[in-house]
Amino acid sequence: MTTYHHTDIDGLSVFHREAGHPDAPAIVLLHGFPTSSHMFRGLIPALADRYRVIAPDHIGFGQSPAPSVDDFDYTFDRLTEVTTKLLDRLGVRRHALYIQDYGAPIGLKIASREPERVSAIITQSGNAYMEGFTPFWEPLFAYATAPGRTPNPPCAHCSPPRRRAGSTRTA
């Protein structure tokens, strides 16, 4: 049975799905853009009889918060830090990684920083090199490099969250 959790990591309520026995070998499912852990809703129960399955929503996706770019450094380094801290909080010391698209740089950074923690890497449409990015990504990289200086964000997901009048919460 899949369970749903929010875990505080550096003041952020990181959402994740979990299934399987806590003592089973762990597999961490890192979703792509613009999805969430919801994309794994069929895979999680299929793996849960043999593995402890953990599928977080990256910050800015799914049921995890999307803080303002003024309040969170949306880099793969920072997303890696949040994911690693989540795994530490859950007591996951060794695990396999399933990386897909946007989750690939996060998973590969986890593996390169602490290779002893990673038992396997399963990749689907994940880049580990700049040459693999098509011209589609150029405006996204430009915006990520200088979010306030790009005249028009390249997609709806790239616009910083708007603040409601009189509120400290994002819309």
Side-chain angles (χ1 to χ4, degrees):
M1 176 175 72
T2 302
T3 57
Y4 308 92
H5 309 271
H6 282 92
T7 301
D8 183 87
I9 304 295
D10 297 338
L12 299 164
S13 181
V14 179
F15 176 82
H16 65 280
R17 298 164 195 265
E18 191 167 353
H21 193 277
D23 294 331
I27 183 165
V28 179
L29 310 176
L30 299 178
H31 68 81
F33 175 87
T35 63
S36 68
S37 62
H38 184 259
M39 74 176 280
F40 299 121
R41 66 193 175 280
L43 181 59
I44 292 170
L47 296 173
D49 63 331
R50 295 178 308 277
Y51 300 97
R52 178 182 183 189
V53 185
I54 300 162
D57 283 354
H58 306 306
I59 299 301
F61 294 86
Q63 296 184 53
S64 286
S68 157
V69 295
D70 296 329
D71 298 328
F72 185 80
D73 187 18
Y74 283 93
T75 63
F76 287 117
D77 285 330
R78 182 68 174 113
L79 293 167
T80 300
E81 181 182 332
V82 169
T83 304
T84 301
K85 286 181 176 183
L86 173 66
L87 295 174
D88 289 344
R89 179 76 46 86
L90 297 176
V92 178
R93 301 291 173 240
R94 187 152 168 80
H95 53 81
L97 288 168
Y98 173 98
I99 56 177
Q100 195 266 330
D101 186 61
Y102 192 85
I106 298 167
L108 293 172
K109 284 180 178 289
I110 290 171
S112 67
R113 290 177 183 174
E114 298 182 84
E116 69 282 355
R117 290 181 77 159
V118 179
S119 60
I121 298 174
I122 304 152
T123 185
Q124 177 185 350
S125 302
N127 282 342
Y129 52 92
M130 290 305 295
E131 292 81 6
F133 288 100
T134 63
F136 165 84
W137 291 96
E138 290 171 8
L140 294 168
F141 287 144
Y143 186 75
T145 302
R149 291 176 254 154
T150 306
N152 295 312
C155 65
H157 302 287
C158 299
S159 298
R162 294 176 318 225
R163 296 208 182 267
R164 295 183 198 132
S167 173
T168 58
R169 295 187 50 94
T170 56

